[in-house]
Amino acid sequence: MDDEVIGGGQNKRSPMTLNVSGLWDVVPRLDHYRLSRRAKRPSLSTLHEGNLIKDPNIEAGQVGVSQQGHTGIKLGWIQGVLIPCLLNIWGVMLFLRLSWVVAQAGILQSIIIIGISAAVCVITTLSLSAISTNGEVKGGGIYFIISRTLGAEFGASVGIVFAFANAVSASMNTIGFCDSLNDLLRENNLKIIDNGVNDVRIVGIIALIVMILICAIGMEWESKAQNFLIAIIVAAIFDFLIGTIIGPHNTEQKAQGFIGFSSEVFMKNLGPNYRFSENSNQTFFSVFAIFFPSVTGIQAGANISGDLKDPASSIPIGTLLALLISMLSYVTFVFFAGGAALRDASGFVMNSTIIDCIPNVNCSFGLHNSYTVWYGT
């Protein structure tokens, strides 16, 4: 028998090897595997039978015709990954709970908490990036990525957990928005019903309906809404930073704990001051557990992998950059809050004199007691 036979319906000759059964197997030609990784590969049975069908899409290294006809919106790494990740990380924790974290743990231990959280997220992001760049990422987000690496069982279970996690995260941020809006209405002597739980329910239902409508309309409207929301959050961040640099405007703000940048305040807030009471005994790990959910939004970009132009490159760069920006913003907030606000304040002014705070008596303001101290900036 000749050493070479005609195979694969081609004019070139393909070498054959003798297998353990004494039959001749066709060795797959290298030309079949030089095409794009998105192209359809010929199966081994097709190669062995020599009935390879010519397909113009395969020769051109293109995706199937059905995918070429897809006209849905495709997002880049900024719109599709960076902004969604920042929106998920910059949540209620940044504006309503970070001041409490600084009050409990102090400036130094708050930086350590942020550093540990960042290290965990970086390791997770690197693993996610490695998987994303190792093959083609299609629609399905985290479920698709995990199911293709660990199996469908792990992918389905983790996908269900992420679905519940996103629902809880949305509800947490919605309640934070409702509470902040209630405080704003109360300061201006306005209310819907009672400036209490009923107003929270009404505003929360309206906010959820609006978000559901945005998601139901489609990714294009959601992308536009993201730009609007990220602009508001960035403006709020700069408002806090600029207000802290300017300092308090009146004695009332000082009485509520907002002193402005002071080396004395900074040194007082440098170390921890964990509070122990009948209802809560705070420690480093309990404060860390409360803070850590604020940095778990790094999967937001990967969750919409089917709407990305190039998931393999968009997911790594967008997620890592979002993590870097958010961690720097958290650290900046810690220094600004710890260096410009007292842990405890009474909020009372009598004859232009600030009444000192007496623990367990009139300390209703400050980093420990009220997040409205941020409004003073």
Side-chain angles (χ1 to χ4, degrees):
M1 177 179 279
D2 295 335
D3 291 336
E4 296 179 345
V5 297
I6 304 298
Q10 307 292 330
N11 294 327
K12 297 181 180 180
R13 294 181 177 271
S14 299
M16 301 182 69
T17 59
L18 189 65
N19 61 21
V20 294
S21 301
L23 301 177
W24 292 93
D25 287 340
V26 179
V27 177
R29 288 171 44 199
L30 183 61
D31 292 342
H32 294 154
Y33 298 91
R34 285 176 174 168
L35 303 177
S36 169
R37 61 184 174 86
R38 294 178 178 268
K40 296 179 180 179
R41 307 297 188 191
S43 63
L44 286 177
S45 61
T46 304
L47 292 173
H48 285 206
E49 294 172 2
N51 296 321
L52 181 63
I53 301 176
K54 286 284 186 177
D55 188 341
N57 290 327
I58 294 178
E59 292 296 330
Q62 298 173 353
V63 187
V65 177
S66 60
Q67 294 184 8
Q68 290 181 5
H70 177 68
T71 58
I73 184 173
K74 292 292 184 179
L75 304 174
W77 67 272
I78 296 179
Q79 289 281 350
V81 182
L82 178 63
I83 293 179
C85 287
L86 288 177
L87 285 175
N88 277 266
I89 296 175
W90 282 341
V92 65
M93 288 291 180
L94 176 64
F95 295 99
L96 301 184
R97 296 298 280 177
L98 190 58
S99 59
W100 177 85
V101 171
V102 175
Q104 293 283 347
I107 296 175
L108 289 180
Q109 292 193 15
S110 296
I111 299 299
I112 295 175
I113 289 174
I114 295 174
I116 296 174
S117 303
V120 174
C121 290
V122 166
I123 294 173
T124 305
T125 303
L126 291 177
S127 301
L128 178 63
S129 302
I131 297 172
S132 301
T133 56
N134 194 38
E136 183 181 1
V137 179
K138 299 181 181 179
I142 296 296
Y143 161 74
F144 177 87
I145 294 173
I146 295 178
S147 64
R148 295 306 184 274
T149 54
L150 300 179
E153 296 83 1
F154 285 97
S157 59
V158 173
I160 293 173
V161 172
F162 268 119
F164 282 105
N166 287 331
V168 173
S169 176
S171 63
M172 179 183 68
N173 286 282
T174 302
I175 293 175
F177 164 73
C178 296
D179 287 338
S180 300
L181 184 60
N182 255 356
D183 290 336
L184 183 63
L185 294 175
R186 189 181 300 111
E187 289 180 1
N188 292 276
N189 298 321
L190 299 173
K191 65 179 180 179
I192 300 176
I193 295 179
D194 57 358
N195 270 139
V197 65
N198 290 321
D199 285 7
V200 170
R201 290 166 178 166
I202 293 174
V203 176
I205 291 174
I206 295 174
L208 288 175
I209 291 175
V210 171
M211 289 187 287
I212 290 173
L213 290 176
I214 292 175
C215 295
I217 291 173
M219 181 56 65
E220 185 175 359
W221 279 89
E222 185 178 351
S223 177
K224 294 178 180 179
Q226 286 182 168
N227 295 335
F228 175 72
L229 294 174
I230 197 68
I232 292 177
I233 293 177
V234 171
I237 291 175
F238 278 100
D239 178 66
F240 164 76
L241 298 178
I242 295 173
T244 305
I245 294 173
I246 293 175
H249 300 287
N250 49 51
T251 307
E252 182 181 354
Q253 290 183 348
K254 292 183 178 180
Q256 294 179 356
F258 177 44
I259 305 299
F261 280 116
S262 168
S263 58
E264 182 181 355
V265 174
F266 183 87
M267 294 306 297
K268 286 182 178 180
N269 295 334
L270 193 62
N273 184 22
Y274 297 109
R275 295 290 172 89
F276 303 94
S277 62
E278 296 179 358
N279 298 325
S280 62
N281 296 326
Q282 303 299 337
T283 63
F284 175 86
F285 293 102
S286 66
V287 174
F288 173 79
I290 293 174
F291 172 81
F292 187 75
S294 65
V295 298
T296 55
I298 57 175
Q299 80 281 359
N303 280 340
I304 57 172
S305 57
D307 297 304
L308 300 177
K309 292 179 182 178
D310 186 7
S313 62
S314 297
I315 292 176
I317 185 174
T319 307
L320 288 172
L321 185 58
L323 189 58
L324 175 63
I325 295 174
S326 59
M327 291 303 105
L328 288 177
S329 65
Y330 275 118
V331 171
T332 303
F333 268 48
V334 167
F335 280 113
F336 273 59
L342 297 174
R343 279 190 165 108
D344 297 292
S346 65
F348 295 110
V349 180
M350 183 177 295
N351 298 326
S352 300
T353 303
I354 299 175
I355 305 300
D356 293 335
C357 172
I358 302 175
N360 301 322
V361 177
N362 63 348
C363 296
S364 55
F365 290 91
L367 297 176
H368 260 303
N369 308 296
S370 175
Y371 59 77
T372 56
V373 67
W374 295 77
Y375 300 164
T377 62

